[in-house]
Amino acid sequence: ILNVEQSPQSLHVQEGDSTNFTCSFPSSNFYALHWYRWETAKSPEALFVMTLNGDEKKKGRISATLNTKEGYSYLYIKGSQPEDSATYLCAFETVYNFNKFYFGSGTKLNVKP
Amino acid sequence: DGGITQSPKYLFRKEGQNVTLSCEQNLNHDAMYWYRQDPGQGLRLIYYSQIVNDFQKGDIAEGYSVSREKKESFPLTVTSAQKNPTAFYLCASSIPGGADNEQFFGPGTRLTVL
């Protein structure tokens, strides 16, 4: 079982704050890194999939970067809003088994109005 | 409206009973997956299937069984051999090797064994 770690485990910020969190994964045999947002009482939804070292993806106020050589990805949220409150999951794919995702335990973000 | 349905949302069973969780998708995806979530842990893969009539064990398959007789359906049976069955179960599907390899998730079933 491959180890994927996310930090911090939880985060409480005020509306308008910018925040970021980390996903660490094995740097060898990398194929792809996925970010999901999981709101309470809903299904996890895909945010980004990143495959190349140095990749940067952006969707609105949320962006992500990828460093495959050192095995980490950052997720940034600029100007957090209460609707950003959710658990953010990352998942790692290896070249040996596409489609088999290894998930981190998630970062639970709470944005207070 | 395409998607993945899981039923029921909440399920209670007595210890020692087998229970089957339903997962149906109308996305025409070949691959389907079952994950388990426990407090403070990430999603852990129980079983997955990349094509009808074929499936593979994930990382925590002991005490579980699956079948994949139809493309749309991938039921999970939690047997009495599963030592800690109380958990939240998520089903997902994807197009194997498809663009971005995105997995689409159902709403989940929370199983409580009394």
Side-chain angles (χ1 to χ4, degrees):
Chain A
I1 298 177
L2 299 178
N3 198 29
V4 178
E5 294 186 354
Q6 291 189 246
S7 61
Q9 202 169 33
S10 65
L11 202 50
H12 297 263
V13 302
Q14 289 294 136
E15 182 175 354
D17 288 349
S18 292
T19 186
N20 66 86
F21 20 95
T22 307
C23 173
S24 301
F25 51 86
S27 57
S28 57
N29 306 311
F30 175 86
Y31 180 72
L33 192 284
H34 300 256
W35 281 101
Y36 282 82
R37 174 167 59 200
W38 193 1
E39 295 178 68
T40 303
K42 294 187 178 180
S43 307
E45 287 185 336
L47 282 172
F48 305 114
V49 57
M50 308 175 80
T51 56
L52 297 174
N53 185 44
D55 248 358
E56 289 189 32
K57 295 278 176 92
K58 189 173 180 182
K59 186 182 287 189
R61 292 178 292 97
I62 304 177
S63 59
T65 61
L66 178 68
N67 184 323
T68 60
K69 295 186 184 212
E70 296 182 40
Y72 64 84
S73 175
Y74 293 139
L75 189 79
Y76 300 91
I77 302 178
K78 186 177 177 182
S80 303
Q81 299 296 309
E83 59 264 31
D84 295 327
S85 296
T87 296
Y88 292 83
L89 298 171
C90 68
F92 172 71
E93 266 185 282
T94 78
V95 295
Y96 293 117
N97 197 338
F98 305 145
N99 305 302
K100 186 176 179 185
F101 287 14
Y102 295 90
F103 280 89
S105 56
T107 292
K108 187 170 184 178
L109 175 66
N110 182 35
V111 183
K112 298 178 185 177
Chain B
D1 203 13
I4 303 176
T5 56
Q6 292 185 243
S7 60
K9 194 170 180 178
Y10 298 95
L11 192 53
F12 297 87
R13 279 293 183 271
K14 289 184 180 178
E15 195 173 341
Q17 290 182 333
N18 290 355
V19 59
T20 297
L21 311 185
S22 164
C23 178
E24 304 278 331
Q25 55 100 358
N26 60 5
L27 299 168
N28 201 33
H29 288 169
D30 285 310
M32 296 186 75
Y33 312 81
W34 274 106
Y35 293 93
R36 169 183 172 136
Q37 191 200 31
D38 294 283
Q41 295 198 40
L43 302 180
R44 293 185 290 166
L45 184 65
I46 304 172
Y47 268 98
Y48 63 109
S49 166
Q50 302 211 44
I51 198 164
V52 173
N53 292 323
D54 188 45
F55 48 83
Q56 290 81 38
K57 292 183 179 180
D59 300 316
I60 54 165
E62 188 177 344
Y64 298 98
S65 66
V66 292
S67 63
R68 186 85 189 278
E69 296 174 5
K70 297 187 298 182
K71 190 175 186 177
E72 301 80 20
S73 178
F74 191 40
L76 173 75
T77 296
V78 185
T79 75
S80 56
Q82 168 49 234
K83 294 178 183 175
N84 295 298
T86 294
F88 186 73
Y89 293 88
L90 270 175
C91 178
S93 71
S94 72
I95 302 172
D100 296 343
N101 268 356
E102 180 182 344
Q103 290 189 9
F104 294 80
F105 287 87
T109 292
R110 184 167 297 281
L111 172 65
T112 302
V113 175
L114 306 169

